Amino acid sequence: MADSTALSSKAGNLQKFLELDQKGKIIAEYIWIDSVGHVRSKSKTLPKKVSSVDELPEWSFDGSSTGQAPGDNSDVYLRPVAIYPDPFRRGDNILVLCETWDSDGTPNKFNYRHEAAKLMEAHASEHFWFGLEQEYTLLGPDGWPWGWPKGGYPGPQGPYYCGVGTNRVYCRDIVEAHYKACLYAGINISGINAEVMPSQWEYQVGPCEGIEMGDQLWISRFLLHRVAEEFGVQVSFAPKPIHGDWNGAGLHTNVSTEAMRKEGGLKVIEAAMKKLEARHVEHIAVYGEGNEERLTGRHETGSIDKFTYGVADRGGSVRIPRQVAKDGKGYFEDRRPASNADPYQVTGIIVETLCGGVN
Ligand code: ADP
Ligand code: MN
Ligand code: MN
Ligand code: MN
């Protein structure tokens, strides 16, 4: 793991302070998404324990420092939308996920949640479930994948996927810590696995209904960055972190509606394929920055130029799991979204394409 020079704190010294009594006050960590899809956060002391998001005050930050507002009108407002137990501070302390709003009362340009929440609300009767597979790469302070030889490469892909053992997996302690932190925070994390490229990992969140999918994924990303920070390791969500014969990183998006999960659901899934095909270009536009380097038709991806789907096909845009085809009902997997895609935009456009807009 990271040597001590990479650490910003000495855990042993810190411990006695973490255990100090807070005298009944609680700390709320307000979290939001900035202009480049990274998380930001700041802390607020509250007089007493909070049990619902409605009890939390609005807050604000300097949007000119995050690329979210001009310098001459820099206040951006934080509206709490969901709370989670804080695995770092524990006790009654909480994490607070926020939407960003401008001073004129309109959603901030980078507040993708607002539109998605309207779509989810409008089509709530469909009972959309999502499951996201978040792939990511762990990098050392030098920006090169953790554990790779300096300026060089490890042996070719093969032994690393779901790997076990030295020289097969790297940074399992971060992965394990993140898993526990997610469970503590109440994130519906459904599993983890080591990926095809060494130092690349995946975790899955879901199934979650409607807007909760985006909320939970963003908190899980916050937790990952925050855990990795303690180990002096960087998290990269780049879709193709290393060029050449190395797998990219995606955000496979598993989707179902109530009709798809019921008898005869396969017909509903097939009808959905036609709709997705017709809006391929619009989907790709919000499926992540740099995705063209990943969707090459190689390394278990489909081509970015063409929508394709098939049963058990990991080289297409959408895969219908074999079990789903066999059962005649279930869900489909949209394999196009890149690891850095915004889950509000991804789930939002899927609902819009399958069900129409908000009116
Ligand atoms: P893969 O075989 O593609 O690696 P994973 O097991 O990593 O699949 O992820 C599958 C995801 O699909 C999980 O997040 C799971 O919660 C989700 N999922 C399972 N059933 C449904 C469903 N009916 N609707 C939506 N998502 C689902
Ligand atoms: Mn998976
Ligand atoms: Mn994977
Ligand atoms: Mn998958």
Side-chain angles (χ1 to χ4, degrees):
M1 203 67 289
D3 63 25
S4 60
T5 55
L7 294 175
S8 56
S9 62
K10 292 209 163 71
N13 293 354
L14 179 61
Q15 197 52 38
K16 61 179 182 285
F17 297 101
L18 294 181
E19 286 161 6
L20 290 174
D21 182 17
Q22 289 181 201
K23 307 283 183 186
K25 303 243 172 73
I26 72 148
I27 307 172
E29 191 72 14
Y30 277 53
I31 299 164
W32 72 96
I33 301 141
D34 70 11
S35 58
V36 294
H38 204 95
V39 282
R40 306 261 182 159
S41 77
K42 60 177 185 169
S43 318
K44 189 178 193 61
T45 306
L46 298 174
K48 60 178 174 46
K49 184 179 166 158
V50 167
S51 45
S52 131
V53 76
D54 317 317
E55 297 169 43
L56 288 162
E58 259 191 42
W59 204 10
S60 61
F61 66 94
D62 168 15
S64 70
S65 298
T66 63
Q68 284 169 283
D72 58 358
N73 184 16
S74 64
D75 271 5
V76 176
Y77 293 87
L78 293 170
R79 291 194 187 163
V81 293
I83 58 176
Y84 307 85
D86 181 341
F88 303 101
R89 298 187 172 118
R90 298 190 268 185
D92 291 330
N93 302 306
I94 52 173
L95 305 176
V96 181
L97 181 67
C98 300
E99 277 194 19
T100 50
W101 286 74
D102 292 345
S103 54
D104 63 0
T106 60
N108 185 258
K109 185 175 164 203
F110 304 99
N111 176 357
Y112 298 119
R113 186 184 188 280
H114 178 66
E115 202 53 41
K118 286 202 291 189
L119 284 160
M120 298 301 169
E121 184 67 37
H123 304 290
S125 64
E126 298 284 336
H127 296 287
F128 269 93
W129 291 3
F130 300 100
L132 297 179
E133 302 170 52
Q134 177 70 71
E135 295 179 334
Y136 62 96
T137 309
L138 294 169
L139 310 176
D142 57 356
W144 197 236
W146 188 270
W148 287 30
K150 285 250 166 299
Y153 297 85
Q157 295 184 157
Y160 311 113
Y161 170 73
C162 296
V164 178
T166 301
N167 289 336
R168 289 171 171 255
V169 293
Y170 301 94
C171 296
R172 196 188 287 278
D173 43 4
I174 291 176
V175 173
E176 209 58 25
H178 172 251
Y179 198 173
K180 292 291 189 94
C182 282
L183 290 172
Y184 182 93
I187 298 304
N188 190 15
I189 184 166
S190 41
I192 58 171
N193 61 267
E195 269 304 337
V196 175
M197 185 181 101
S199 256
Q200 200 167 80
W201 291 84
E202 169 181 315
Y203 63 90
Q204 303 97 32
V205 180
C208 291
E209 186 159 341
I211 199 66
E212 213 187 327
M213 184 70 260
D215 291 352
Q216 290 213 10
L217 194 80
W218 273 113
I219 290 295
S220 75
R221 285 177 173 177
F222 168 83
L223 292 173
L224 183 57
H225 281 298
R226 181 65 183 72
V227 165
E229 171 193 320
E230 300 213 4
F231 290 85
V233 169
Q234 294 183 67
V235 179
S236 169
F237 289 114
K240 194 76 180 181
I242 306 294
H243 295 273
D245 217 358
W246 302 99
N247 273 36
L251 183 70
H252 294 170
T253 301
N254 300 276
V255 186
S256 65
T257 59
E258 190 164 47
M260 294 175 190
R261 295 188 293 270
K262 287 207 300 221
E263 282 320 304
L266 193 58
K267 289 259 174 310
V268 184
I269 291 173
E270 273 161 5
M273 295 305 109
K274 298 277 161 287
K275 291 183 176 177
L276 287 178
E277 180 168 33
R279 291 192 85 211
H280 180 64
V281 174
E282 288 94 327
H283 280 250
I284 290 296
V286 295
Y287 275 7
E289 198 92 24
N291 207 9
E292 65 284 353
E293 294 177 33
R294 166 179 165 261
L295 293 182
T296 56
R298 296 183 61 226
H299 301 112
E300 300 170 55
T301 70
S303 156
I304 197 163
D305 301 317
K306 195 167 174 287
F307 179 90
T308 59
Y309 76 95
V311 173
D313 182 7
R314 290 178 191 268
S317 314
V318 169
R319 174 175 70 103
I320 296 173
R322 190 171 298 288
Q323 191 63 39
V324 172
K326 205 164 147 243
D327 295 345
K329 62 181 178 186
Y331 65 99
F332 66 87
E333 178 194 43
D334 189 341
R335 300 174 60 82
R336 296 171 293 173
S339 45
N340 59 358
D342 181 297
Y344 295 130
Q345 289 185 288
V346 172
T347 58
I349 197 170
I350 289 171
V351 170
E352 186 189 83
T353 295
L354 301 189
C355 301
V358 287
N359 295 315

